[in-house]
Amino acid sequence: MSVVRALVPELREPARRLVATGRIRAEVDAELYRAAVRGRRQLTDFFRSELGWELEIAESAELVRLHKRRADVPAERGPRLRRDGRDAHLAPKDVLALVALVCEQLWRRPRMSLRELMQAIAQVCASEAPTGGLPQFRIVATDGTGKSEARTSRLNLVDALRLLVAEGSISVDADLERIAGQDDGDLVVSASRERLAMKFSSLSPTLLGLDGVDPERHVTVLSADVLADDTAAHDEPTVDDRRLLALRRLVDDPAADPLDDRAPMPYLHTPAGRERALEVVAALGFATTARRDWWEITDPSGIGTLVDFPNGRRNERQAALALLDALTLRPEPRAVLGIAEVVALFERVRTTLPRWAAAYEHRLPALARAAAAELVAVGLLVPLHHDIWEPTPGVHLWRIKVQQTAVQLTEEPTDR
């Protein structure tokens, strides 16, 4: 069995940050950036050998980038947006398409005004939209385009710029929030070509020939390291394929089900697979709770994994904890869970603590959905249909203790 390339302690924090965000920027995390540059060889070898991921360090761009490829991309994972103070939600497809178009235009011309950028993108979309290659992007109200459509196009572009600014690919010289509320506002957008070149992990869709590949195979093809022969597309996965699939889930997700491996002996059930998985997770500084039917991975430092909901200062996270506690007390903890059962639980809680979650007093279904979303995010619930979930074996790993202090009883509830 191969020996895991362990990480020295000073590289564990940069490695966890790369797992969590995919990048380290010098202007944001100077210490982590310097540590990653100093330990580039060890980090590169670790990610390549244990996870099949490529690490790229461009000192000219002051950026460390981990290109994470997964053929089983989580459907709920992706860039999130906030508008008007509302909860963050996944960016829609139109915004993601605009992200790519903005990068394309700024690659050609790294400094543009917002108006110039809108006009350039509108021209590209106008030529491709009739054939369905790109979405419509109309920025001027005409006889066929209302003001609301033009404003939606502008807001979608501003959202795309927000995502690119947040990840450090571009910069702007004015407040995007203010520009979003002005139909005639303008600003200057600047980009680093070095950072744009490091943004995308996949090979060119043109080289991959996606037009000739069934849509359900697009993610697998995009996640491939090299161009593969089509004849090998349906071969049985090798032991190394199964190893990469299992380890990527362990380090990239808060929980993993060993039985997702459909082989007669799942990789994480083999002595060699279990040992290697534990060594890789420990090398990153994660803590592991392993059962035969469930692995749960947490980051004690709070950098790497998604399991942070037990810090229940918000009503939604307190509700998630109350729901998790109730799940383990059901006669059948793994039985399907409907929203009516969750609402009934919160009604009983409010009978004992009338002031708890007062902001949700007349909309407990919204609180139920928010609590379920917290548990879905950490792998403890799986959504089946609208307002219906299935608990995972991970619910058996948690024990909840409720403390009712004077501060809690008098604390003004929040609605965030």
Side-chain angles (χ1 to χ4, degrees), residues 71 220 231-246 249 260-267:
T220 301
T231 55
H234 301 289
D235 289 348
E236 288 295 321
T238 65
V239 174
D240 203 49
D241 293 335
R242 293 165 51 211
R243 174 183 68 85
L244 289 177
L245 181 65
R249 285 179 175 173
D260 283 342
D261 184 348
R262 300 302 182 185
M265 177 62 73
Y267 179 78

Side-chain angles (χ1 to χ4, degrees), residues 313-391:
R313 294 185 179 276
R314 292 170 23 205
N315 287 158
E316 296 83 359
R317 291 192 166 180
Q318 292 172 355
L321 290 168
L323 175 56
L324 177 56
D325 186 38
L327 287 175
T328 60
L329 300 177
R330 301 163 83 207
E332 294 292 337
R334 299 288 308 283
V336 170
L337 176 71
I339 193 170
E341 184 178 349
V342 184
V343 171
L345 165 67
F346 294 157
E347 287 175 343
R348 293 195 299 271
V349 173
R350 283 183 50 78
T351 300
T352 306
L353 298 172
R355 296 197 52 164
W356 177 73
Y360 286 97
E361 183 173 1
H362 300 295
R363 51 192 189 100
L364 287 181
L367 181 60
R369 295 186 186 98
E374 294 281 352
L375 298 186
V376 168
V378 294
L380 300 179
L381 287 180
V382 176
L384 298 179
H385 305 289
H386 179 63
D387 290 344
I388 298 177
W389 304 270
E390 180 182 20

Side-chain angles (χ1 to χ4, degrees), residues 185-266:
D186 201 7
L187 51 74
V188 175
V189 184
S190 304
S192 161
R193 277 185 173 158
E194 290 85 355
R195 289 196 175 182
L196 290 179
M198 297 174 68
K199 178 171 174 55
F200 298 102
S201 299
S202 175
L203 297 169
S204 167
T206 304
L207 293 175
L208 292 170
L210 288 183
D211 290 345
V213 178
D214 295 335
E216 59 269 18
R217 289 183 51 212
H218 282 189
V219 172
T220 301
V221 175
L222 286 167
S223 65
D225 293 326
V226 296
L227 292 170
D229 294 333
D230 191 64
T231 55
H234 301 289
D235 289 348
E236 288 295 321
T238 65
V239 174
D240 203 49
D241 293 335
R242 293 165 51 211
R243 174 183 68 85
L244 289 177
L245 181 65
L247 294 185
R248 285 171 178 176
R249 285 179 175 173
L250 287 178
V251 304
D252 200 34
D253 296 342
D257 186 350
L259 299 178
D260 283 342
D261 184 348
R262 300 302 182 185
M265 177 62 73

